[in-house]
Amino acid sequence: MYKCTLIGISDSRAQWFPPQVQAVISQGKVFSGGKRHHEIMAPYLPSDALWIDITVPLSAVFEQYKQHAEVVVFASGDPLFFGFAATVQRELPEVQMQVFPSFNSLQMLAHRLNLPYQDMHVVSLTGRPWDKFDEALIAGEAFMGVLTDKHNTPQVIWQRMQEYGYSNYEMIVGENLGNETLERVSIFSPGREYANPNCLILRKTADKYRPFGIPESEFHLLNGRTKMITKMPIRLLSLSMLDLHNRQSFWDVGFCTGSVSIEAKLQFPHLHVTSFEIREEGRELMELNSKKFGTPGITTLIGDFLQADLEGLPAPDAVFIGGHGGKLKEMIARVKPLMKEGACLVFNSVSPESKQLFEEGIQAVGMQLTQCARVALDEFNPIYILKAE
């Protein structure tokens, strides 16, 4: 295969194509697309056309493509907008590719609403995780377009937003856009099902308060014990040392109430936060506090960190050790080989003994102490905030 032409189409059963695209279709021999695309395009194809369904596994589809010199692929909307074109580029990097786009579904929904969409923040949940959607919510994007799928439906998305306190958005759903008989645009209603395909526009109706520095008293605490939480000024200074603005993956080891993880996610919504706690009570505390402060997307792992299965987790470029249970040096030795090049490690020491353990632990694994701050709050003992790189 040396050429792949991608043609964007809508859900209309009366397609219109410019002369250049009509020529591509009339001269084509091998065509491809999803089953819905085949239904729409069947009347426009040559009588001797060969059709290749796009189904999983995609590797089998591309093996069929390679048996032909040219393939014409039909895709929804703009193939270069979260579409099949990127897959072709990845799987067939040497192929000559030409794209004829149509309006994508979010453009069409904006057209139906007469909404200028140059400032739309677009998120795809079509076969993708929640990360980018959560980031946009926490950041408070004013105008969002959301691509959905059969699993991440308008109902599921709305439910997630309600659980984490994001009721400050109006949701508009577009169903079967372009289909002359089935198209529908409506304000979201929790009580009804929505036809596929659909997409959403979210418009912020009010700002959601996003604190910087959450007082300890605001958190759900472990047995009501305020001493089991990282104090707010210490928490903010620790996050500053972690330099999270320039990091991607943050591990919080020994999270207890989840205060450091939640503060990190609030201030740096792009972060992938993975949090570890040995106590089972931590699971409920993290859930309660995450929902209270609006921080979806924190990965919580309960159990002994030294025995945890860390395979498959995103490698950290920043680590905070908040609790160590007397195993500080072992924790440092466990996490160091997994850290990215240039990663940093921050620890709050409440005693000279734990400070010495940290210094010995980082020395043993070849890390260097680069910052040390001594902070005293009210009647509490001084705390050392230590950073190693």
Side-chain angles (χ1 to χ4, degrees), residues 341-370:
E341 185 71 25
C344 69
L345 171 64
V346 169
F347 172 67
N348 294 341
S349 169
V350 296
S351 69
E353 292 78 16
S354 61
K355 180 175 180 290
Q356 182 178 347
L357 282 175
F358 181 79
E359 291 171 346
E360 292 174 355
I362 62 171
Q363 184 178 10
V365 298
M367 298 181 74
Q368 292 184 334
L369 186 66
T370 55

Side-chain angles (χ1 to χ4, degrees), residues 24 60 123 133 168 172 222 229 268 275 313 347 378:
V24 170
V123 176
F133 180 76
N168 58 325
I172 304 166
L222 181 63
I229 184 172
F268 308 96
S275 305
L313 295 176
F347 172 67
D378 302 328

Side-chain angles (χ1 to χ4, degrees), residues 120-142:
M120 181 188 293
H121 181 92
V122 176
V123 176
S124 176
L125 288 173
T126 306
R128 290 174 169 84
W130 289 100
D131 300 16
K132 293 298 181 182
F133 180 76
D134 294 341
E135 179 182 344
L137 272 186
I138 297 170
E141 294 289 348

Side-chain angles (χ1 to χ4, degrees), residues 11-23:
D11 248 25
S12 172
R13 269 48 184 177
Q15 296 285 322
W16 178 88
F17 299 108
Q20 188 179 6
V21 176
Q22 291 180 27

Side-chain angles (χ1 to χ4, degrees), residues 231-294:
K231 302 299 179 288
M232 186 257 285
I234 304 297
R235 189 187 320 136
L236 295 183
L237 184 51
S238 299
L239 293 176
S240 173
M241 281 197 183
L242 286 160
D243 189 27
L244 295 176
H245 179 75
N246 297 308
R247 313 289 181 174
Q248 296 299 317
S249 175
F250 170 53
W251 284 15
D252 180 9
V253 182
F255 67 75
C256 191
T257 59
S259 64
V260 172
S261 294
I262 288 166
E263 193 86 63
K265 190 69 174 175
L266 268 181
Q267 304 311 324
F268 308 96
H270 72 280
L271 274 182
H272 190 289
V273 180
T274 308
S275 305
F276 303 85
E277 173 58 45
I278 195 168
R279 288 172 287 232
E280 180 59 37
E281 299 94 322
R283 190 189 308 277
E284 183 180 11
L285 284 173
M286 180 64 86
E287 183 178 352
L288 290 171
N289 286 320
S290 291
K291 289 180 177 178
K292 180 175 183 178
F293 296 108

